[in-house]
Amino acid sequence: MVIGIVIAACVVLAVLAFLLPRLSRHPQNGAQRGLGAGARAGSQAPGVLGRLLSKPFSSSSRAMGRSGAAGRRARGRMPF
């Protein structure tokens, strides 16, 4: 369920970045801020468990950043 939500958010962010490149920065930063808070909360657990709990949030945040960048990059490559 959560994986589907993250994938849907990445797709929406990529489309938004393609259509409105400048206005897509704020939603991207907001999504990454929320995922960063989850990663920080997960990393409070001791040892290996902390790394395991924070990893899904950090990889999702990285995916959000990449999808936004990909949409803006695709928009920049358009001939018009």
mmCIF file of all heavy atoms in Angstrom, residues 47-69:
data_model
loop_
_atom_site.group_PDB
_atom_site.id
_atom_site.type_symbol
_atom_site.label_atom_id
_atom_site.label_comp_id
_atom_site.label_asym_id
_atom_site.label_seq_id
_atom_site.Cartn_x
_atom_site.Cartn_y
_atom_site.Cartn_z
ATOM 1 N N GLY A 47 21.382 0.832 16.595
ATOM 2 C CA GLY A 47 22.135 -0.099 15.767
ATOM 3 C C GLY A 47 21.567 -0.367 14.391
ATOM 4 O O GLY A 47 21.115 0.538 13.687
ATOM 5 N N VAL A 48 21.599 -1.626 14.010
ATOM 6 C CA VAL A 48 21.182 -2.048 12.678
ATOM 7 C C VAL A 48 19.692 -1.784 12.470
ATOM 8 O O VAL A 48 19.261 -1.448 11.363
ATOM 9 C CB VAL A 48 21.499 -3.555 12.481
ATOM 10 C CG1 VAL A 48 21.001 -4.044 11.147
ATOM 11 C CG2 VAL A 48 22.986 -3.782 12.607
ATOM 12 N N LEU A 49 18.912 -1.910 13.519
ATOM 13 C CA LEU A 49 17.477 -1.670 13.416
ATOM 14 C C LEU A 49 17.184 -0.244 12.971
ATOM 15 O O LEU A 49 16.281 0.002 12.169
ATOM 16 C CB LEU A 49 16.797 -1.961 14.760
ATOM 17 C CG LEU A 49 15.289 -1.864 14.793
ATOM 18 C CD1 LEU A 49 14.683 -2.888 13.837
ATOM 19 C CD2 LEU A 49 14.777 -2.079 16.192
ATOM 20 N N GLY A 50 17.958 0.724 13.437
ATOM 21 C CA GLY A 50 17.784 2.111 13.029
ATOM 22 C C GLY A 50 18.034 2.312 11.550
ATOM 23 O O GLY A 50 17.309 3.031 10.873
ATOM 24 N N ARG A 51 19.067 1.656 11.042
ATOM 25 C CA ARG A 51 19.348 1.754 9.596
ATOM 26 C C ARG A 51 18.256 1.085 8.785
ATOM 27 O O ARG A 51 17.859 1.584 7.738
ATOM 28 C CB ARG A 51 20.707 1.134 9.290
ATOM 29 C CG ARG A 51 21.871 2.009 9.717
ATOM 30 C CD ARG A 51 23.182 1.518 9.146
ATOM 31 N NE ARG A 51 23.562 0.209 9.645
ATOM 32 C CZ ARG A 51 24.212 -0.020 10.782
ATOM 33 N NH1 ARG A 51 24.551 1.015 11.542
ATOM 34 N NH2 ARG A 51 24.535 -1.234 11.153
ATOM 35 N N LEU A 52 17.760 -0.053 9.268
ATOM 36 C CA LEU A 52 16.698 -0.756 8.543
ATOM 37 C C LEU A 52 15.392 0.026 8.536
ATOM 38 O O LEU A 52 14.645 -0.003 7.563
ATOM 39 C CB LEU A 52 16.473 -2.142 9.151
ATOM 40 C CG LEU A 52 17.562 -3.167 8.893
ATOM 41 C CD1 LEU A 52 17.262 -4.452 9.646
ATOM 42 C CD2 LEU A 52 17.696 -3.439 7.418
ATOM 43 N N LEU A 53 15.094 0.721 9.622
ATOM 44 C CA LEU A 53 13.844 1.480 9.689
ATOM 45 C C LEU A 53 13.902 2.783 8.899
ATOM 46 O O LEU A 53 12.884 3.263 8.414
ATOM 47 C CB LEU A 53 13.484 1.771 11.148
ATOM 48 C CG LEU A 53 13.052 0.568 11.980
ATOM 49 C CD1 LEU A 53 12.817 0.981 13.420
ATOM 50 C CD2 LEU A 53 11.812 -0.065 11.395
ATOM 51 N N SER A 54 15.082 3.368 8.767
ATOM 52 C CA SER A 54 15.179 4.644 8.063
ATOM 53 C C SER A 54 15.408 4.476 6.566
ATOM 54 O O SER A 54 15.164 5.406 5.786
ATOM 55 C CB SER A 54 16.290 5.503 8.662
ATOM 56 O OG SER A 54 17.549 4.942 8.390
ATOM 57 N N LYS A 55 15.863 3.310 6.133
ATOM 58 C CA LYS A 55 16.205 3.115 4.727
ATOM 59 C C LYS A 55 15.026 3.296 3.772
ATOM 60 O O LYS A 55 15.175 3.944 2.734
ATOM 61 C CB LYS A 55 16.845 1.746 4.523
ATOM 62 C CG LYS A 55 17.356 1.550 3.118
ATOM 63 C CD LYS A 55 18.113 0.274 2.962
ATOM 64 C CE LYS A 55 18.596 0.161 1.524
ATOM 65 N NZ LYS A 55 19.384 -1.037 1.318
ATOM 66 N N PRO A 56 13.829 2.757 4.046
ATOM 67 C CA PRO A 56 12.724 2.962 3.100
ATOM 68 C C PRO A 56 12.374 4.441 2.906
ATOM 69 O O PRO A 56 12.037 4.865 1.800
ATOM 70 C CB PRO A 56 11.555 2.209 3.732
ATOM 71 C CG PRO A 56 12.152 1.262 4.680
ATOM 72 C CD PRO A 56 13.433 1.869 5.133
ATOM 73 N N PHE A 57 12.471 5.213 3.970
ATOM 74 C CA PHE A 57 12.144 6.631 3.860
ATOM 75 C C PHE A 57 13.195 7.379 3.048
ATOM 76 O O PHE A 57 12.863 8.235 2.233
ATOM 77 C CB PHE A 57 12.013 7.256 5.255
ATOM 78 C CG PHE A 57 10.834 6.766 6.021
ATOM 79 C CD1 PHE A 57 10.980 5.837 7.020
ATOM 80 C CD2 PHE A 57 9.563 7.224 5.721
ATOM 81 C CE1 PHE A 57 9.903 5.375 7.729
ATOM 82 C CE2 PHE A 57 8.466 6.768 6.421
ATOM 83 C CZ PHE A 57 8.637 5.843 7.433
ATOM 84 N N SER A 58 14.470 7.049 3.264
ATOM 85 C CA SER A 58 15.509 7.758 2.523
ATOM 86 C C SER A 58 15.502 7.368 1.048
ATOM 87 O O SER A 58 15.716 8.214 0.176
ATOM 88 C CB SER A 58 16.876 7.502 3.150
ATOM 89 O OG SER A 58 17.169 6.120 3.124
ATOM 90 N N SER A 59 15.233 6.096 0.749
ATOM 91 C CA SER A 59 15.183 5.700 -0.662
ATOM 92 C C SER A 59 13.956 6.282 -1.351
ATOM 93 O O SER A 59 14.011 6.646 -2.529
ATOM 94 C CB SER A 59 15.211 4.181 -0.795
ATOM 95 O OG SER A 59 14.088 3.609 -0.178
ATOM 96 N N SER A 60 12.853 6.431 -0.632
ATOM 97 C CA SER A 60 11.669 7.068 -1.210
ATOM 98 C C SER A 60 11.913 8.544 -1.459
ATOM 99 O O SER A 60 11.474 9.100 -2.467
ATOM 100 C CB SER A 60 10.468 6.891 -0.289
ATOM 101 O OG SER A 60 10.141 5.539 -0.143
ATOM 102 N N SER A 61 12.630 9.187 -0.552
ATOM 103 C CA SER A 61 12.966 10.598 -0.743
ATOM 104 C C SER A 61 13.866 10.775 -1.951
ATOM 105 O O SER A 61 13.701 11.708 -2.741
ATOM 106 C CB SER A 61 13.656 11.131 0.511
ATOM 107 O OG SER A 61 14.074 12.454 0.318
ATOM 108 N N ARG A 62 14.814 9.861 -2.122
ATOM 109 C CA ARG A 62 15.697 9.915 -3.286
ATOM 110 C C ARG A 62 14.912 9.698 -4.579
ATOM 111 O O ARG A 62 15.155 10.359 -5.594
ATOM 112 C CB ARG A 62 16.799 8.864 -3.129
ATOM 113 C CG ARG A 62 17.898 8.985 -4.139
ATOM 114 C CD ARG A 62 19.099 8.124 -3.808
ATOM 115 N NE ARG A 62 18.752 6.738 -3.548
ATOM 116 C CZ ARG A 62 18.937 6.118 -2.379
ATOM 117 N NH1 ARG A 62 19.460 6.757 -1.367
ATOM 118 N NH2 ARG A 62 18.598 4.851 -2.226
ATOM 119 N N ALA A 63 13.921 8.816 -4.537
ATOM 120 C CA ALA A 63 13.078 8.577 -5.712
ATOM 121 C C ALA A 63 12.257 9.813 -6.051
ATOM 122 O O ALA A 63 12.068 10.133 -7.232
ATOM 123 C CB ALA A 63 12.165 7.382 -5.469
ATOM 124 N N MET A 64 11.760 10.515 -5.043
ATOM 125 C CA MET A 64 11.007 11.752 -5.287
ATOM 126 C C MET A 64 11.898 12.789 -5.966
ATOM 127 O O MET A 64 11.484 13.452 -6.915
ATOM 128 C CB MET A 64 10.488 12.340 -3.979
ATOM 129 C CG MET A 64 9.432 11.565 -3.328
ATOM 130 S SD MET A 64 7.853 11.906 -4.041
ATOM 131 C CE MET A 64 6.859 10.940 -2.947
ATOM 132 N N GLY A 65 13.105 12.939 -5.483
ATOM 133 C CA GLY A 65 14.023 13.895 -6.086
ATOM 134 C C GLY A 65 14.368 13.543 -7.520
ATOM 135 O O GLY A 65 14.421 14.415 -8.392
ATOM 136 N N ARG A 66 14.586 12.263 -7.776
ATOM 137 C CA ARG A 66 14.926 11.837 -9.131
ATOM 138 C C ARG A 66 13.766 12.012 -10.091
ATOM 139 O O ARG A 66 13.958 12.370 -11.256
ATOM 140 C CB ARG A 66 15.364 10.378 -9.128
ATOM 141 C CG ARG A 66 16.728 10.180 -8.543
ATOM 142 C CD ARG A 66 17.123 8.733 -8.598
ATOM 143 N NE ARG A 66 18.443 8.551 -8.019
ATOM 144 C CZ ARG A 66 19.010 7.375 -7.864
ATOM 145 N NH1 ARG A 66 18.389 6.279 -8.234
ATOM 146 N NH2 ARG A 66 20.205 7.288 -7.328
ATOM 147 N N SER A 67 12.542 11.744 -9.634
ATOM 148 C CA SER A 67 11.398 11.878 -10.542
ATOM 149 C C SER A 67 11.147 13.336 -10.887
ATOM 150 O O SER A 67 10.825 13.660 -12.033
ATOM 151 C CB SER A 67 10.156 11.230 -9.938
ATOM 152 O OG SER A 67 9.738 11.929 -8.785
ATOM 153 N N GLY A 68 11.290 14.226 -9.910
ATOM 154 C CA GLY A 68 11.138 15.648 -10.205
ATOM 155 C C GLY A 68 12.211 16.147 -11.156
ATOM 156 O O GLY A 68 11.941 16.890 -12.106
ATOM 157 N N ALA A 69 13.441 15.711 -10.922
ATOM 158 C CA ALA A 69 14.541 16.122 -11.800
ATOM 159 C C ALA A 69 14.351 15.568 -13.206
ATOM 160 O O ALA A 69 14.659 16.245 -14.197
ATOM 161 C CB ALA A 69 15.868 15.654 -11.220
#
